[in-house]
Amino acid sequence: MTKREMSGAAPGRVERRTVLQSAAWAMPALAMTIGVPRAAATTCTATPVSHATPALGAAVPKSTKSDLTGLVVPAGFTKMTFELVGGGSDSGGGAPAGMYLPGRVKGTLDVGPTAVIKPGDVLALQAGGMGLAAGTGGDSSYGKGGNSGTLVSGKTDGQRGSGGGGASALLVNGIVLVVAGGAGGAGRLQPWFITDLTAGTGNGAGTSNAGAVGVDGHLYELLTSGIFGAIYGTAGGGKQGGVGTGGVATSGSGTGWGVTDARVNGGGASGNNGGTGANAGSVGGWWNDSGNSGGGGGGGYGGGGGGSSFTRRNDPLWTFRISGGGGGGGNLVPAGATASGGPYGAPGSVTVTFHC
């Protein structure tokens, strides 16, 4: 007797247990074929929102830093555009092409749950101050510009170099993301009527992650041989951010009655802070016995070095003074961003704009 006959089931009848078993096996497949409705595609239509420090139109002392902290990244945006300009430096006498310029770094980053910038992140905008012709370096929360060196106490015949500009930075949750380096401060020359003297020019922060090297000053032989063009002294410029060593003063050719040299090297950078320019040297003489001090280095992603000072007295009446410029501060440039030179003689700034 068959199992069907033993169970008493009629031929051709489908048992209830069989239907239930078949239905149980079919449920997962059925579930897989029922589509879950997709969320409707969203379009970012939010009006762009910008934040800047210093605030547009705000009057702030030129050497003073300006910070905007606690800025929360808003939801509803997909992009953040940024532009940072480091603190410039006032040469006290105009700007040769490409000199005394801070760094400018700008670009656009994605905003989203998996992007570098996420809604709810906290930003800090830190703008550096400008270096002053009187020798004060620009202030900065990230990297201060170096001061120029000091003059010989009690003497007024020498001139101070310019201070370096302060760095500008953008931080995300306390971590630095972008830096625009400050400009190096200018050196000085005296006497002004001798055309063969060359002043050291403080250099800009450059167009890459490194700054730019401060330009040397040169002193040429005038009195001892009567032949122009023989270098007999150099006031080296400070090195750029990332290197940050101070400028070196050297003596070259040139001899004569009463020749006395004073060489003072510039100070090296201290982390992100620019180096201090060399103090003026003293060479004695009847009244013209103080040299010029070196320009301060710019603050940055690695500060620039300070410029050096070289002074020569050829006799009791003639003293020649030169000083080197400070090196520019280094930039920090994220992938896809660009770096260039900023404006001459202006404080730094940081601007961010959230948009679609």
Side-chain angles (χ1 to χ4, degrees):
M1 181 180 291
T2 66
K3 291 182 179 180
R4 185 183 300 280
E5 291 171 335
M6 292 177 63
S7 65
R13 180 181 176 183
V14 179
E15 298 182 54
R16 181 172 179 272
R17 181 176 62 183
T18 304
V19 173
L20 292 175
Q21 289 176 342
S22 300
W25 282 106
M27 286 301 290
L30 181 62
M32 293 176 63
T33 61
I34 298 175
V36 177
R38 293 184 178 180
T42 59
T43 302
C44 178
T45 59
T47 302
V49 176
S50 295
H51 301 271
T53 187
L56 296 178
V60 296
K62 290 185 176 181
S63 63
T64 302
K65 65 182 181 180
S66 179
D67 293 353
L68 175 60
T69 59
L71 177 61
V72 178
V73 176
F77 299 95
T78 59
K79 303 287 183 183
M80 185 189 78
T81 296
F82 59 86
E83 181 174 1
L84 283 71
V85 179
S89 181
D90 182 1
S91 70
M99 301 299 176
Y100 324 123
L101 303 183
R104 183 201 302 269
V105 182
K106 56 184 178 179
T108 300
L109 296 170
D110 291 333
V111 177
T114 61
V116 174
I117 305 297
K118 301 173 178 62
D121 282 348
V122 180
L123 307 182
L125 284 57
Q126 301 175 344
M130 184 182 81
L132 302 182
T136 302
D139 197 7
S140 170
S141 293
Y142 184 78
K144 302 177 188 296
N147 294 330
S148 68
T150 60
L151 301 180
V152 176
S153 178
K155 302 298 179 182
T156 60
D157 48 305
Q159 295 181 347
R160 288 192 70 180
S162 297
S168 295
L170 172 62
L171 286 73
V172 182
N173 299 327
I175 300 173
V176 63
L177 181 66
V178 190
V179 177
R188 297 287 188 266
L189 67 84
Q190 287 177 290
W192 59 269
F193 57 85
I194 303 297
T195 58
D196 292 281
L197 291 169
T198 303
T201 49
N203 228 319
T207 57
S208 66
N209 280 21
V213 178
V215 179
D216 294 348
H218 294 284
L219 178 62
Y220 295 91
E221 184 173 6
L222 294 171
L223 302 178
T224 56
S225 67
I227 300 174
F228 295 92
I231 296 176
Y232 69 26
T234 298
K239 304 305 179 184
Q240 76 270 18
V243 179
T245 53
V248 177
T250 58
S251 294
S253 62
T255 59
W257 177 72
V259 168
T260 303
D261 290 344
R263 302 181 301 276
V264 186
N265 296 336
S270 176
N272 298 326
N273 300 318
T276 302
N279 293 333
S282 178
V283 290
W286 291 351
W287 57 79
N288 293 323
D289 58 356
S290 175
N292 295 334
S293 66
Y301 192 66
S308 65
S309 173
F310 178 87
T311 310
R312 167 162 288 196
R313 178 172 59 81
N314 275 80
D315 60 38
L317 296 176
W318 291 96
T319 300
F320 301 97
R321 311 171 187 86
I322 55 173
S323 59
N331 300 320
L332 176 59
V333 185
T338 60
S340 60
Y344 164 75
S349 62
V350 181
T351 303
V352 295
T353 301
F354 300 101
H355 57 95
C356 299

